[in-house]
């Protein structure tokens, strides 16, 4: 059985008349431990597809058809309470911009711990120990010092590592990384991608990597899905899609 299987997903925005269909009949499946890159230009529907897995859609955005099967259960039919039990525990997400995704008034250590406090029975001391261990896993130095710092006191690369630590601290089965290197310079991008790949292999976490950058996806993905105008127009191994493409786009 696939870890995640999306079947004929359709997503509409209802703040326009007529409603705008932004994801059109998208289907794909993922195995445990696989990295799937979803690549496409801005507006192609890749981020909305990723957000729909966790039910992180805005009020005017709605799944109009299809199924999102995670371990055989249809997330599209889950209530918000049921989704909250899955978010951060079985499925985690790294958002595009860590400066706006991290809470500016909380020390980053507390933010890394949040998933543990919500989804485990760890004591306060155990949560802190696990968070510090995870900060070391993402190759940060002086973690006791960083634990008490606020996001604005850290560089962009450090904030992105904090986001990765927070997403992976509960060892989820699926990680969704939405443009995780967009705001970083090329050297830091490479470091973050290599780190993601290394931790993913260590934990066996399946990963959806959303990006508009072909080079980013080629660096880490086992398979690549190309989105265009709300549809997946091609899917295959990285080698197949890059060196023997079937679609003109």
């Amino acid at each position: 059985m696939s870890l995640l299987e999306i079947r004929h997903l359709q997503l509409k925005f209802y703040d326009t008349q007529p409603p705008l269909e932004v994801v059109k009949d998208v289907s794909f499946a993922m195995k445990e431990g696989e990295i799937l890159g979803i690549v496409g230009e801005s507006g192609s529907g890749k981020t909305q597809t990723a957000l729909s897995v966790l039910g992180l859609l805005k009020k005017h955005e709605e799944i109009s058809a299809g199924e999102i099967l995670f371990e055989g259960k249809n997330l599209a039919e889950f209530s918000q309470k049921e989704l909250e039990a899955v978010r951060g525990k079985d499925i985690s997400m790294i958002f595009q911009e860590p400066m706006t995704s991290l809470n500016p008034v909380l020390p980053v250590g507390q933010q890394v711990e949040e998933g543990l406090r919500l989804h485990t029975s760890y004591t306060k001391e155990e949560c802190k120990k696990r968070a510090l261990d995870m900060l070391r896993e993402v190759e940060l130095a002086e973690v006791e010092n960083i634990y008490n710092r606020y996001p604005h006191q850290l560089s962009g690369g450090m904030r992105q590592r904090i986001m990765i630590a927070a997403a992976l601290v509960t060892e989820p089965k699926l990680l969704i990384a939405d443009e995780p290197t967009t705001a970083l310079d090329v050297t830091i991008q490479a470091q973050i991608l290599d780190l993601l790949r290394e931790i993913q292999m260590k934990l066996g976490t399946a990963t959806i990597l959303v990006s508009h950058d072909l080079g980013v996806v080629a660096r880490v993905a086992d398979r690549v899905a190309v989105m265009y105008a709300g549809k997946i127009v091609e899917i295959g191994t990285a080698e197949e899609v890059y060196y023997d493409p079937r679609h003109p786009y």
Side-chain angles (χ1 to χ4, degrees):
M1 183 175 68
S2 299
L3 177 69
L4 176 72
E5 185 176 0
I6 293 182
R7 297 178 180 170
H8 307 293
L9 181 68
Q10 295 180 35
L11 181 67
K12 290 184 178 180
F13 286 1
Y14 287 91
D15 57 346
T16 61
Q17 287 300 328
L20 178 65
E21 191 173 39
V22 292
V23 174
K24 308 168 185 177
D25 196 27
V26 163
S27 298
F28 63 84
M30 288 183 68
K31 299 178 293 186
E32 291 184 8
E34 181 182 18
I35 298 182
L36 175 69
I38 301 181
V39 66
E41 62 191 22
S42 296
S44 60
K46 57 190 188 300
T47 293
Q48 296 304 323
T49 299
L51 291 172
S52 67
V53 173
L54 277 173
L56 294 174
L57 300 173
K58 297 175 183 174
K59 286 185 177 180
H60 65 273
E61 302 167 0
E62 192 174 300
I63 295 171
S64 55
E67 296 178 309
I68 302 170
L69 301 175
F70 179 72
E71 296 186 316
K73 297 175 182 177
N74 187 7
L75 299 180
E77 295 179 343
F78 274 31
S79 66
Q80 281 302 309
K81 188 173 182 180
E82 289 172 319
L83 284 168
E84 284 169 8
V86 174
R87 290 183 198 133
K89 179 176 180 284
D90 296 319
I91 308 176
S92 288
M93 187 157 186
I94 302 171
F95 295 94
Q96 283 191 26
E97 176 45 67
M99 197 60 210
T100 54
S101 300
L102 290 169
N103 189 326
V105 298
L106 277 182
V108 294
Q110 291 184 28
Q111 299 187 57
V112 173
E113 285 178 17
E114 185 176 9
L116 297 172
R117 292 197 301 268
L118 288 172
H119 298 295
T120 73
S121 57
Y122 284 7
T123 64
K124 187 176 181 181
E125 291 73 22
E126 288 171 332
C127 285
K128 182 172 182 178
K129 182 181 182 302
R130 174 67 181 143
L132 289 170
D133 287 345
M134 200 66 222
L135 292 176
R136 293 186 188 97
E137 285 282 344
V138 297
E139 299 175 0
L140 288 167
E142 301 180 4
V143 293
E144 289 83 0
N145 182 16
I146 287 174
Y147 178 92
N148 293 307
R149 290 194 186 182
Y150 293 86
H152 72 273
Q153 296 175 309
L154 304 175
S155 68
M158 293 170 79
R159 288 195 294 266
Q160 196 60 278
R161 290 169 191 267
I162 296 292
M163 291 284 290
I164 294 170
L168 292 174
V169 72
T170 56
E171 299 189 8
K173 296 170 184 174
L174 175 64
L175 173 68
I176 301 172
D178 185 15
E179 304 273 12
T181 60
T182 297
L184 306 175
D185 66 51
V186 175
T187 306
I188 304 298
Q189 272 190 21
Q191 293 174 8
I192 294 295
L193 290 170
D194 290 345
L195 176 67
L196 263 177
R197 182 67 170 171
E198 183 182 323
I199 295 178
Q200 180 270 341
M201 291 176 71
K202 185 175 181 179
L203 299 179
T205 304
T207 303
I208 296 175
L209 176 63
V210 176
S211 183
H212 64 274
D213 189 325
L214 293 168
V216 164
V217 172
R219 191 178 184 98
V220 295
D222 301 311
R223 287 192 304 144
V224 177
V226 181
M227 284 198 75
Y228 177 66
K231 296 180 179 180
I232 290 181
V233 294
E234 186 157 359
I235 189 166
T237 66
E239 289 79 10
E240 288 168 345
V241 171
Y242 285 93
Y243 298 111
D244 190 22
R246 300 297 189 204
H247 193 275
Y249 178 65

